Amino acid sequence: MELQTIIEKRQSIRRYQEGGIPDADLQDIIKAAATAPSGKNTQNWHFVAIKDRNLIQKIADAISEKNESICLEMDKVDKEKADRFRKFCKNFTVFWRDTAPAIIITMATVYVPSGYNEYKLIGAEQEILLDLMGYRNPGMQSVGAACENLTLKAIELGYGTCWLTSANYAASQIEKLLKEYAGFEKEGYYFVNMFAIGIPQENQKSPAKKSLEEVFTLIK
């Protein structure tokens, strides 16, 4: 499959056919992710692929429970918005709980960008430091490059993925489960996103992309 075809084929897949994913394919997918560029070659990522159905269910339950705890507080302020958040969680955050044969969790570690320590040394204002670490966030740019490699390689191998950041409000619960249930803990690393992955069902719709004119400026 040519690269342009793979890029155009990429979409968020939320419905999967029956069938598992061989360990070798998961390894190839993560190997592709790990070849991405990263600031100062820090390779500030770690991927956890999960095929254990019990753990997948536990993670989905933890997200749903955290969602509900937030919604119960929202009910006191705006019941309609709370119910929308509940519905969003069910349809877009944990849709994979019974259908995806695997999920992949992305962990990252803090990346200190060029200029940060130097600015700090000369007593720069906090706003400047926040600009580098937060708004520009080179560390997350590196992780994003790895994640894009991951999803494109998955397509090449015949799979579909859904790149998920909507569970970030339950990050600590997910990290706790990985530690207590699976014995996984990597010091200094934290949850940043996850992927549902499987063999995609056909004819899944995607929202339209912005036109080239809206996203591109050429300066000659």
Side-chain angles (χ1 to χ4, degrees):
M1 195 182 301
E2 293 185 356
L3 177 59
Q4 186 61 36
T5 302
I6 293 172
I7 292 172
E8 292 174 358
K9 193 177 178 66
R10 195 223 64 81
Q11 64 178 138
S12 295
I13 296 297
R14 295 186 176 89
R15 299 195 307 276
Y16 303 95
Q17 300 179 34
E18 291 186 5
I21 305 176
D23 293 353
D25 284 355
L26 286 170
Q27 290 170 359
D28 285 346
I29 289 166
I30 302 307
K31 184 177 180 180
T35 63
S38 59
K40 303 174 189 172
N41 196 35
T42 53
Q43 302 171 59
N44 57 314
W45 49 62
H46 188 89
F47 296 94
V48 183
I50 301 171
K51 298 169 72 173
D52 183 312
R53 295 309 312 173
N54 286 332
L55 181 53
I56 289 173
Q57 286 287 345
K58 285 179 180 294
I59 291 172
D61 288 343
I63 296 169
S64 297
E65 289 167 9
K66 184 63 177 179
N67 175 272
E68 182 58 20
S69 72
I70 295 169
C71 289
L72 288 173
E73 293 301 312
M74 291 177 67
D75 284 337
K76 302 172 185 178
V77 182
D78 192 321
K79 182 68 163 59
E80 185 178 344
K81 288 183 178 179
D83 286 341
R84 283 204 300 267
F85 193 36
R86 289 183 175 99
K87 186 176 180 180
F88 184 89
C89 179
K90 179 181 178 180
N91 294 338
F92 295 100
T93 305
V94 297
F95 64 89
W96 39 265
R97 68 187 310 153
D98 297 314
T99 57
I103 59 173
I104 299 172
I105 288 177
T106 308
M107 311 289 289
T109 190
V110 173
Y111 170 80
V112 180
S114 299
Y116 181 85
N117 287 329
E118 291 76 12
Y119 265 133
K120 197 171 182 180
L121 181 66
I122 63 175
E125 295 179 359
Q126 190 64 31
E127 184 177 349
I128 295 175
L129 299 178
L130 177 62
D131 181 82
L132 278 174
M133 288 292 287
Y135 303 132
R136 320 286 171 186
N137 206 336
M140 282 300 103
Q141 292 184 48
S142 298
V143 173
C147 289
E148 183 71 0
N149 277 14
L150 183 158
T151 195
L152 295 180
K153 184 64 178 181
I155 293 168
E156 182 188 48
L157 294 178
Y159 303 107
T161 67
C162 190
W163 185 334
L164 297 156
T165 58
S166 58
N168 282 32
Y169 58 80
S172 61
Q173 286 77 18
I174 295 169
E175 292 166 359
K176 183 178 179 182
L177 265 174
L178 290 176
K179 180 180 178 180
E180 294 182 352
Y181 180 89
F184 172 83
E185 184 178 27
K186 192 167 178 64
E187 186 176 354
Y189 282 74
Y190 54 91
F191 173 94
V192 292
N193 66 41
M194 61 190 296
F195 292 85
I197 181 169
I199 303 170
Q201 292 185 16
E202 298 296 328
N203 301 319
Q204 298 191 47
K205 295 182 179 180
S206 291
K209 301 298 183 181
K210 292 181 179 179
S211 67
L212 183 61
E213 290 74 20
E214 291 180 274
V215 302
F216 176 59
T217 299
L218 175 60
I219 302 175
K220 296 185 178 180

